[in-house]
Structures are given as C-alpha cells and as structure tokens.
Amino acid sequence: MKSPVSLSTKPVAIAQILFSQGFGTRRHCAALVDHGLVSVGGEVVEDPQQPFLTEGLVFEVEGKPWPFHEKALILLHKPAGYECSRKPSHHPSVFTLLPEPIRNRDIQPVGRLDEDTTGLLLLTDDGPLQHKLTSPKYHVPKLYQATCKAPLDEAQLRKLVAGVLLEERNPKLAAEPVNAVSAQALPDGRLQMALTEGRYHQAKRMVAAVGNRVLTLHRQQVGALELPADLPVGGWIWLDARQRELAMSEPGEAACSD
Ligand code: URA
C-alpha cells in the first residue's frame, strides 16, 4: 500500500517517492537508485533511503525529468479511434498514449468520451476531484462541438435547452428530461452545446431526439478549462493547481477572477 502520510509534509525516501509516482514495485524503485539511474538537481542519488522534500521536487530517471505530483491530473487531447477503458474491446486504450509511470498510477478518465469523440479528456487518481467534475450535482459544464447531419435550426436548439426525454433502462432517468445548459449554432454550421450530466452517448442521443444526427463530436472545454490550442492530437500535459481550479469553475466565474 502507498504511504498514508501526505508526502509533501516531511522528507521521504527517494525509493518511496519513485514508488508513489508509478515507477514500479518497491524493489524495482530501490534497484533504479542502486543502478545509479536516479538523480536530483543533477546529482546521482546513491542511497534508496535518501530523503527529499516532495513539494516542487523534480527528479530524473534515466535522464528524464519527472515533477513530483502527489495526485495526478492529466489533460489528454484524445484522438478518434481510442477507447477510454483500461480493457478496451475494439480499439486501443487512451492509456497507451501516456508514459508507463502515469499508466501505473490508479488514474481514471474523468467521464468517458466515446471511441470516435475527440478533444479534452482529463484523467486523475484524485477521487474527490473526479466526483466534483462528474457529478451532475456540481453542475460543471462540458462544452462540445458537433458536426451534424444538418445545421440545427432554432426550434432544435430551443428543444435541446428546454430538455428532451431519452430512452433509458432506468425508469427514473427515462422520466427526467435532460437538457443542455446552452446550445448554439456556430458560424460554420456546427453545434456548440454545454452539458452538465454525463449519460451514455448523451450528446448524440440528445441531438437524435430533436431529429438530427451527430457526425463528429469534440469536447473543447471542461468548466473554464479549455483544450490548449497548441496541444497536438494524442498529446498530454500535467495540470497545475490553477488549471485544476479552472476545470471546476463556471466559464464566466473564471473570466472574472483572471
Ligand atoms: N456525449 C456523447 O454522445 N459522446 C461523448 O463522447 C460525450 C458526450
């Protein structure tokens, strides 16, 4: 089991740090140090038990710098053709796009995107954050852009915001209309719509319920956090505390606090 102590409050043995960051078993992490493959501040660490303060720590493993993250929060620019599951059925897993130490951590996608959906996918091992970002209770809007079979007309846009009934196995869910927080036609004819729930194929089923069809779907924003324009498809970044806050904020709130 990983250390129950908050790693940032007191110095921690380097082998334990490597273990907490997904570098393999305790034995493997100690062996990485014993083989001279780990350095801090340009100095090779000789002893697996040598302690370091974790806050702001950047260590190197086989020459590659790794910033310490007590909890992982990753933003991935999801390509089409990848499944958001560790055990995919028909396509490669999004986890294959991440380096092994990150894959080894107990990270989960924050709300799954369909295999053919592209765009902003968060992954984290922070349970409370996962809950805040996915539970409809917290109303975090996710902004989607869709090309549809036909441009949506005013009546369809209005229905999306007013709410539509979707077929659901759960009769309680089936009886509750689901609505978009906003829905608008972009100048290029695409639909832009913000959703706070994450029901199965929700955007596609809502568009079908108003008599249209989604052809491509892209997630551009979670809360006030946007997909970085310079992040290539398939690329990923660590998110910092500020970006974490942005993901949990309403887009308008974030604009005011900047
Ligand atoms: N709604 C969908 O239909 N698919 C997604 O991937 C996300 C939201």
Side-chain angles (χ1 to χ4, degrees):
M1 217 181 90
K2 291 174 191 162
S3 168
V5 183
S6 172
L7 293 180
S8 58
T9 52
K10 61 176 187 154
V12 180
I14 189 72
Q16 168 66 13
I17 291 174
L18 294 171
F19 175 69
S20 73
Q21 301 298 288
F23 281 85
T25 61
R26 289 178 193 281
R27 183 188 287 233
H28 181 71
C29 290
L32 285 172
V33 180
D34 285 336
H35 289 115
L37 298 174
V38 180
S39 48
V40 174
E43 298 276 315
V44 172
V45 183
E46 307 282 350
D47 177 1
Q49 295 312 313
Q50 188 174 333
F52 290 91
L53 276 172
T54 54
E55 186 157 358
L57 178 69
V58 179
F59 53 91
E60 292 189 359
V61 179
E62 298 185 71
K64 192 171 183 328
W66 278 90
F68 176 88
H69 287 94
E70 185 162 359
K71 291 286 177 195
L73 178 58
I74 302 288
L75 183 158
L76 173 72
H77 188 163
K78 181 189 174 296
Y82 284 79
E83 292 182 31
C84 288
S85 163
R86 282 193 183 260
K87 291 188 181 156
S89 328
H90 302 292
H91 299 273
S93 162
V94 289
F95 288 91
T96 62
L97 298 166
L98 301 172
E100 200 182 339
I102 297 179
R103 288 206 306 269
N104 286 342
R105 295 179 70 147
D106 193 19
I107 56 167
Q108 299 297 332
V110 179
R112 291 185 176 194
L113 293 178
D114 297 335
E115 169 270 315
D116 56 351
T117 302
T118 58
L120 195 168
L121 179 68
L122 299 177
L123 299 109
T124 189
D125 55 5
D126 182 335
L129 177 65
Q130 168 87 246
H131 179 67
K132 279 197 181 131
L133 291 175
T134 51
S135 166
K137 207 170 88 186
Y138 292 96
H139 304 289
V140 174
K142 285 91 187 174
L143 191 70
Y144 294 92
Q145 292 162 347
T147 46
C148 298
K149 195 166 172 221
L152 275 89
D153 60 31
E154 276 304 317
Q156 290 174 323
L157 293 170
R158 267 200 304 273
K159 276 190 207 163
L160 288 171
V161 176
V164 293
L165 288 172
L166 299 178
E167 271 184 37
E168 305 282 1
R169 277 199 198 143
N170 178 340
K172 230 176 114 189
L173 274 187
E176 284 169 12
V178 61
N179 70 296
V181 181
S182 63
Q184 64 181 116
L186 295 174
D188 61 9
R190 284 179 304 156
L191 163 69
Q192 178 162 284
M193 152 165 101
L195 305 177
T196 53
E197 285 188 57
R199 296 194 200 180
Y200 178 68
H201 290 337
Q202 182 172 326
K204 292 173 184 167
R205 291 195 297 146
M206 287 177 71
V207 170
V210 300
N212 209 316
R213 181 145 66 90
V214 168
L215 303 179
T216 68
L217 186 63
H218 176 82
R219 184 155 70 190
Q220 180 59 22
Q221 200 165 322
V222 170
L225 179 70
E226 282 201 61
L227 181 66
D230 57 356
L231 184 64
V233 178
W236 65 274
I237 50 171
W238 291 103
L239 295 189
D240 59 23
R242 182 174 173 275
Q243 292 163 315
R244 184 182 191 278
E245 286 308 311
L246 282 178
M248 290 191 295
S249 317
E250 294 280 335
E253 282 172 17
C256 296
S257 65
D258 266 357

